[in-house]
Amino acid sequence: LPEAVQEGDPELVSRVVRGDRSAERELFRRHRGKVHATLYRVLGSNRDMDDLIQDAFVEIFRSLARFRGEAKLTTWIDRITVRVAYAYLSRRRAPTVPLEIMGDAPAESAPDDDRVHAREGVRRFYAALASLGANARLAFALHAIDGRPIAEVGRLMGTTALTAKLRIWRARRELARLAAGDPVLAGFLTEDS
Amino acid sequence: MSLGDKIPVEPLGDARWDKIERGLMERDRSPVLLDAPRRWPIYAAFAAAAAVIVFLAARPRSATNRIVTAPPIAVSTPHGGASTIDLGDAQIAFGEAANATIERHGEIDVTLGEGIVECEVAPRAGRPPFKVIAGATTVTVVGTHFTVERHGDSVRVAVARGKVRVDAPDGQHFVPAGESLQVGPPPPAPPAPPVPSASVRDGGVADAPKGPSRGKQLSVIEGEQHDDPRSAYGRLLELAKGEDAVGARALYDAETLANGALKKPDAAILASKEYERRFPDGKDAAPAFAVRIEAYLQTGDRAAAQSAAEVFLKKYPTDEHVGRAREVAGWPRKP
């Protein structure tokens, strides 16, 4: 809750800057859910998730000395989380699983296979995302999965709304191309992109 | 159902959170500094860069300055489409409903008739000049990443990286990274064509006009709301009159702006109630309600906030804001 989270945050930030470990714990507990959700939506289920969450908070703690309260603390944390995700995508692209070796979707799924089918859709979706460049993937994930407005995506990525919009377009176009040869992915993307 | 709804975030569980927290507390927080023994790669990089500069300065320049002439390329993208042209040292991406020509005759000229173009251009030293011509406005590139949007006489230049020179009817301007320049009147707001099926996706509200122009207006306002929240608020309320997904989003944006930058919690509460009445299944229905709880707290009406939080918990038991709502409602934390 944006405004409520702001309440009390300045004092907490001051204590973190002074090196108060209990304040760090409090800040971590207060914001860990959002940091995790953002990283999860951008990167998917990821074996490095624990380290990435730690990376994000280490960067947040380090950077808070520069925090002047001009933006909301949540926005500040979002920016750093996005930077951590970008750095991860840039330095180590997630292993791409070629779609042709993932197996075809079952022609007729039984009703109780819905969850399995949905999980497979998510898996193929993140495999497809892994084929995108870091910028396009990040912009698309923040907008289409995390539900952030384009202007906010631009701000978080340190670019303009127009550039963010173009990156999202590129991602959509590439995903549509991949979905043309993958009915499971196509089904997953239906009703959205 | 949006993609976000299809991808629920896997909860980590208390034990794993504890482990992450313990690990975090044990990690080094000091700024990352290069110690002395590791500085030699920097010196080596400087030496290599100096060698490259000497080489480039000493080599014959005719090869890099050669004039390339090629047939003009005409680009036209449909609504909802996009196109990218790769010229080697320049990548040019066109947004929806754009039309342009690209000419290479000693310099690269992109003449933009209408729409948005995004350019990622290598530094021009030793390369042909690169220009985007949008009516009476000419944008000359030094080596940068920028966008130009043209609608009739209205031209907007936004620079993501580097710097561009803009020759406009009112004079010459230099636009640095992170800034934008509006030449001529702001983009007009043409009536949006009805898009009956697409409007369902974002807000669950059908049979209402929704088109790229309204979405584009909203995007622009969202980008500018921090610079001029009062003006943005008025424009958002105007957009919020629409019964489509853009109207819903604009109403939610207006609510958050009222509760945030404008410090008008009463207006935020009214906007929240209006959202609930008009867009009960809107994408932002839950956060719009959640902001109302905070707005009540801002007015000092703790009882109303508590009551709203209880209603919120019943309506949106799985929303990400339930933790905060439980706190305001005075409910115990979930184990």
Side-chain angles (χ1 to χ4, degrees):
Chain A
L1 296 181
E3 295 309 315
V5 169
Q6 266 192 336
E7 281 183 356
D9 277 342
E11 296 77 22
L12 192 60
V13 168
S14 305
R15 286 168 54 211
V16 170
V17 171
R18 289 198 300 270
D20 182 337
R21 287 297 169 109
S22 67
E24 289 182 350
R25 279 201 179 84
E26 175 59 28
L27 192 119
F28 170 73
R29 289 174 188 171
R30 205 180 280 189
H31 296 283
R32 66 188 188 183
K34 190 158 172 51
V35 168
H36 172 230
T38 301
L39 290 171
Y40 186 92
R41 290 183 180 124
V42 171
L43 304 171
S45 184
N46 191 301
R47 63 184 174 190
D48 296 325
M49 184 58 77
D50 293 12
D51 288 341
L52 288 166
I53 293 170
Q54 287 183 9
D55 288 349
F57 276 97
V58 166
E59 288 304 315
I60 289 163
F61 295 156
R62 278 179 184 150
S63 70
L64 280 178
R66 299 194 304 276
F67 180 67
R68 296 279 175 266
E70 288 154 356
K72 292 177 184 172
L73 178 61
T74 47
T75 306
W76 184 272
I77 290 172
D78 279 347
R79 280 189 188 140
I80 291 170
T81 307
V82 166
R83 265 186 239 153
V84 167
Y86 179 82
Y88 179 78
L89 290 171
S90 300
R91 71 175 178 260
R92 182 187 155 182
R93 295 278 294 277
T96 305
V97 183
L99 295 178
E100 58 271 23
I101 65 166
M102 294 173 72
D104 293 324
E108 291 182 15
S109 298
D112 57 354
D113 283 348
D114 281 355
R115 282 176 59 190
V116 176
H117 195 75
R119 211 161 41 228
E120 179 63 10
V122 172
R123 197 167 72 84
R124 289 183 188 229
F125 173 64
Y126 276 102
L129 280 186
S131 70
L132 303 177
N135 276 324
R137 174 176 181 171
L138 201 51
F140 179 80
L142 289 170
H143 178 64
I145 308 173
D146 213 18
R148 296 172 191 268
I150 287 173
E152 186 184 343
V153 173
R155 282 194 297 277
L156 289 177
M157 296 185 69
T159 186
T160 63
L162 291 178
T163 301
K165 189 188 266 187
L166 280 158
R167 286 172 180 166
I168 293 164
W169 276 337
R170 284 181 190 151
R172 283 193 193 285
R173 190 180 52 192
E174 180 61 13
L175 289 173
R177 190 185 68 75
L178 293 170
D182 181 4
V184 175
L185 179 61
F188 184 79
L189 293 172
T190 305
E191 299 175 35
D192 189 90
S193 52
Chain B
M1 184 186 281
S2 73
L3 282 178
D5 297 330
K6 293 179 186 177
I7 306 172
V9 177
E10 285 176 6
L12 292 184
D14 288 344
R16 194 159 160 202
W17 276 122
D18 287 346
K19 183 170 163 250
I20 295 170
E21 185 176 320
R22 276 199 308 276
L24 175 64
M25 291 302 139
E26 287 165 7
R27 280 181 57 167
D28 182 19
R29 313 294 160 71
S30 57
V32 180
L33 295 173
L34 291 175
D35 49 18
R38 291 175 62 191
R39 284 185 181 157
W40 69 265
I42 298 180
Y43 299 140
F46 272 117
V52 169
I53 290 168
V54 168
F55 171 76
L56 290 176
R59 71 180 173 157
R61 298 183 61 81
S62 57
T64 54
N65 275 335
R66 72 176 185 273
I67 293 174
V68 177
T69 303
I73 303 169
V75 181
S76 178
T77 60
H79 278 283
S83 180
T84 304
I85 306 284
D86 188 345
L87 298 180
D89 63 356
Q91 281 74 47
I92 310 167
F94 295 90
E96 65 173 346
N99 68 72
T101 56
I102 303 170
E103 294 174 88
R104 286 169 288 173
H105 47 80
E107 64 181 40
I108 300 172
D109 289 346
V110 180
T111 305
L112 183 62
E114 188 77 13
I116 304 173
V117 59
E118 177 198 26
C119 304
E120 173 93 51
V121 184
R124 305 321 290 168
R127 294 190 174 94
F130 186 105
K131 292 178 182 175
V132 175
I133 301 156
T137 302
T138 299
V139 182
T140 304
V141 177
V142 178
T144 185
H145 187 165
F146 68 102
T147 51
V148 180
E149 180 173 10
R150 181 187 180 193
H151 300 284
D153 293 333
S154 170
V155 178
R156 188 174 180 83
V157 182
V159 180
R161 194 174 65 243
K163 185 159 102 174
V164 299
R165 190 186 80 203
V166 180
D167 292 298
D170 64 342
Q172 191 177 82
H173 311 267
F174 285 91
V175 185
E179 292 192 8
S180 61
L181 174 71
Q182 174 72 42
V183 180
V195 186
S197 60
S199 62
V200 180
R201 191 189 75 219
D202 200 31
V205 185
D207 301 320
K210 173 187 176 290
S213 59
R214 280 172 54 77
K216 191 179 292 177
Q217 285 177 61
L218 178 60
S219 185
V220 169
I221 297 170
E222 286 178 336
E224 295 172 354
Q225 61 180 338
H226 294 287
D227 301 329
D228 189 354
R230 196 168 296 279
S231 162
Y233 181 68
R235 286 146 68 204
L236 285 169
L237 288 183
E238 195 61 36
L239 270 184
K241 290 176 183 172
E243 293 299 320
D244 57 350
V246 174
R249 169 61 79 164
L251 186 55
Y252 171 60
D253 283 349
E255 181 194 351
T256 55
L257 205 53
N259 196 47
L262 296 178
K263 304 289 182 206
K264 288 181 173 177
D266 290 330
I269 293 165
L270 287 176
S272 171
K273 289 182 176 174
E274 187 179 343
Y275 192 105
E276 185 182 20
R277 180 178 59 78
R278 288 171 53 199
F279 308 108
D281 300 317
K283 186 177 177 184
D284 297 309
F289 202 115
V291 171
R292 190 193 311 178
I293 300 170
E294 299 310 322
Y296 276 129
L297 288 174
Q298 279 211 52
T299 63
D301 192 343
R302 178 93 202 166
Q306 189 172 350
S307 172
E310 287 169 357
V311 174
F312 178 88
L313 288 164
K314 285 178 189 159
K315 285 186 75 163
Y316 307 106
T318 59
D319 186 76
E320 62 179 318
H321 298 119
V322 292
R324 172 60 178 161
R326 289 179 77 90
E327 188 184 325
V328 175
W331 292 12
R333 276 191 166 197
K334 274 192 172 177

